[in-house]
Amino acid sequence: MRRIFICLLLFALACAPSVSDADARRAASLNEQGLAKFQQSAFPRALQLFLDAKQLNPAEAEYANNVGMAYLRMGELGPAATPINEAIALSPDRPLYHYNQGLTFIAGQDREMATAAFLKAVELDKDYFDANAYLGLLLYEAGRFEDAARHWENASATRDNAEIESNLGMTYLALGDLEAAEKTLLRATAIDPEYGLAHYNLGVLYQQTEQFEKAEASYNQTKRLTPHKFETYFNLGIVQTKLGKPAEARRSLEEFLSQAPPQMTQQIQDTPIVTARRRRH
């Protein structure tokens, strides 16, 4: 069967129409125009230019890939997959096309196939930052923490990025490596001191390790940077209770109650702090 497939593929390539130099130049020009429109988020116009380029030179994998990505950015998942698959068939060693295939699977909520596509991308280029970043997320969600850490470590080695370091730190925490978790989360806050989630995750680490003063400081930083992250106020109230600060804890828990969705507020309605306050009224 494999031999027949190879013969058919060679036959198809042999029968593919040749492209004149004029058509090749015109296709390249249309593709460049399409890329400019794509960068301007003018996706319908970009799509038409990519389609015209592909029609003039169907053997150029880049044009097929660009058609697929324009469809994807327009939210048309069905038409996006076919041209990206064509691009992979024409140029299977380009990691970008496998990465883009992974994006179509992400859009279609197929995490298993997305993981496979991103793995192929990093097989071809182990330093592919975006593919490693996505793999970290997918593998972490699947509970495969060691694998997630490996891909986030690869991403970290490629580029300084606070989000990657924050995610990697929480992965180390899940693996029980507290020293690496703290070091990595501190690195995230150093890369981008204004990235609130890194401070929040650092607070979680310190809270879990009963370093309550450090946890309070981290959660206060989170409050300043992301004041509408309601989970911060719940955790901060618990930490302030541990620190013997009932007035501050009460204010934090009340702020949580004012911001959190109704279904979440029940978890603290009967805490000693809130109950005591209700009894005084």
Side-chain angles (χ1 to χ4, degrees):
M1 186 67 182
R2 178 176 174 80
R3 185 176 180 181
I4 294 172
F5 172 78
I6 292 172
C7 291
L8 288 174
L9 177 60
L10 292 173
F11 177 77
L13 291 173
C15 294
S18 60
V19 178
S20 68
D21 290 343
D23 282 348
R25 287 193 298 270
R26 176 62 177 157
S29 175
L30 290 168
N31 184 61
E32 288 298 319
Q33 295 173 53
L35 290 171
K37 293 298 181 183
F38 192 93
Q39 291 298 320
Q40 298 167 10
S41 299
F43 301 121
R45 179 57 182 151
L47 172 62
Q48 188 56 58
L49 290 163
F50 292 145
L51 285 168
D52 291 344
K54 183 175 182 293
Q55 184 173 14
L56 283 170
N57 189 357
E60 176 52 63
E62 181 182 347
Y63 306 157
N65 172 75
N66 292 347
V67 167
M69 291 307 295
Y71 275 127
L72 188 61
R73 292 300 296 270
M74 291 166 62
E76 298 186 31
L77 179 58
T82 299
I84 291 175
N85 290 340
E86 289 178 14
I88 291 173
L90 289 165
S91 187
D93 294 331
R94 283 290 304 276
L96 172 64
Y97 303 156
H98 295 279
Y99 172 77
N100 288 343
Q101 185 186 53
L103 294 181
T104 67
F105 289 128
I106 288 288
Q109 301 296 312
D110 191 336
R111 283 167 163 71
E112 184 176 348
M113 292 298 292
T115 300
F118 294 141
L119 282 171
K120 182 62 179 179
V122 298
E123 177 186 319
L124 294 167
D125 178 4
K126 68 179 179 63
D127 296 326
Y128 199 141
F129 177 86
D130 291 331
N132 277 309
Y134 253 121
L135 279 167
L137 284 172
L138 290 167
L139 294 167
Y140 185 92
E141 289 176 356
R144 296 168 58 183
F145 300 128
E146 291 183 356
D147 292 333
R150 185 173 70 255
H151 287 288
W152 273 328
E153 286 165 352
N154 289 344
S156 173
T158 305
R159 186 185 308 172
D160 284 344
N161 182 282
E163 182 179 357
I164 293 296
E165 300 301 325
S166 180
N167 291 342
L168 180 56
M170 293 307 286
T171 308
Y172 288 143
L173 180 58
L175 289 168
D177 190 340
L178 302 180
E179 183 179 351
E182 181 181 18
K183 180 180 178 181
T184 308
L185 289 168
L186 287 171
R187 175 172 164 78
T189 62
I191 291 171
D192 184 359
E194 301 299 301
Y195 184 51
L197 185 57
H199 292 281
Y200 176 82
N201 287 339
L202 196 55
V204 170
L205 168 66
Y206 288 139
Q207 184 176 355
Q208 289 189 12
T209 55
E210 300 186 354
Q211 301 178 70
F212 297 123
E213 290 183 355
K214 288 184 176 182
E216 182 183 31
S218 293
Y219 288 140
N220 279 328
Q221 278 285 71
T222 310
K223 277 174 53 181
R224 180 182 67 82
L225 296 167
T226 53
H228 301 300
K229 185 173 176 56
F230 56 83
E231 302 94 336
T232 304
Y233 299 97
F234 179 77
N235 289 353
L236 182 56
I238 300 302
V239 165
Q240 289 167 332
T241 301
K242 295 288 188 180
L243 290 171
K245 299 180 178 181
E248 292 93 331
R250 183 162 53 248
R251 284 194 294 270
S252 296
L253 294 172
E254 287 171 349
E255 186 62 32
F256 170 81
L257 287 171
S258 72
Q259 289 196 27
Q263 64 271 23
M264 294 189 65
T265 59
Q266 187 60 45
Q267 62 183 303
I268 69 163
Q269 287 291 347
D270 298 321
T271 61
I273 296 169
V274 176
T275 301
R277 183 177 186 276
R278 286 203 299 262
R279 287 172 181 166
R280 285 197 296 272
H281 285 278

